[in-house]
Amino acid sequence: LDVPWWTYDAIDHVEAWLSGREGEVRAFEWGSGASTIWLSKRVASVHSVEHHRSFGEMMRSHVADLPGVTLDIVEPVDSASPAVPSRKEGHAGLDFADYVGRIHEVGGTYSLIVVDGRAREACLVAALDHLADGGIVVFDNTKRSRYREAIAAAPVVERAFSGLTPTLPYPDRTSVLTPR
């Protein structure tokens, strides 16, 4: 669990970016997992939000003793017309507004924000309101057309890292975004 499931080149890029930072780095991420553990060893604090209760509870047991880690479980709610839907198959009729909005509740700015959970298009928009000057957004699985559209519509510059990941048997893409 000590390697993010991003592309290897993206992991190397973020590692180098973190090594070159002065001062403490605060991170926020949608979608807990291996990246939460990896980040906890490299940043002052990481606030992670997970939508899936059983996975989140399992992750809590892995991060319970790690300093600077907060993991919130914010499940979607049933809705006939979700304010913030997820376009992932099987997630119709679920509203992820509270999940996406957790960053607004927590508040503050973050040098590193990871978008790797549900409703990623809305997460990207929310992330930009909380990105510190000089900060980056790591957006995973950006080969998907719905994510390509969200990035194209956002006021960001994209650096895409295509290649293998620690978990997939095929190449994928992780993008690092900076504000224009």
Side-chain angles (χ1 to χ4, degrees):
L1 284 175
D2 193 27
V3 179
W5 294 2
W6 313 328
T7 61
Y8 286 108
D9 287 345
I11 295 167
D12 290 346
H13 178 80
V14 173
E15 179 86 64
W17 183 84
L18 287 168
S19 295
R21 299 288 297 180
E22 291 184 22
E24 292 187 345
V25 172
R26 292 180 68 220
F28 187 95
E29 67 173 346
W30 284 280
S32 65
S35 58
T36 312
I37 295 168
W38 186 83
L39 285 168
S40 75
K41 297 174 182 176
R42 292 162 175 80
V43 300
S45 67
V46 57
H47 196 117
S48 185
V49 181
E50 177 58 47
H51 81 283
H52 192 273
R53 174 144 315 270
S54 62
F55 186 78
E57 294 294 342
M58 184 271 302
M59 281 305 303
R60 276 189 175 154
S61 70
H62 287 290
V63 302
D65 295 329
L66 298 177
V69 176
T70 303
L71 194 154
D72 295 332
I73 300 170
V74 182
E75 295 177 286
V77 295
D78 291 326
S79 174
S81 52
V84 180
S86 173
R87 291 170 52 189
K88 182 172 177 66
E89 189 175 323
H91 286 75
L94 296 175
D95 189 349
F96 286 84
D98 293 340
Y99 170 81
V100 172
R102 180 62 93 195
I103 195 169
H104 303 308
E105 289 180 31
V106 174
T109 59
Y110 300 88
S111 299
L112 174 62
I113 299 177
V114 179
V115 178
D116 196 13
R118 295 294 163 256
R120 293 183 199 187
E121 303 91 323
C123 291
L124 175 57
V125 172
L128 296 178
D129 289 339
H130 293 274
L131 192 61
D133 289 341
I136 61 173
V137 175
V138 177
F139 197 128
D140 200 22
N141 309 115
T142 55
K143 284 178 69 172
R144 299 174 187 168
S145 62
R146 66 185 184 267
Y147 301 156
R148 304 284 331 121
E149 293 167 9
I151 292 168
V156 296
V157 175
E158 176 185 22
R159 182 159 180 201
F161 296 91
S162 296
L164 295 175
T165 74
T167 58
L168 298 174
Y170 53 84
D172 202 2
R173 179 168 53 210
T174 303
S175 295
V176 175
L177 311 174
T178 53
R180 278 194 199 126

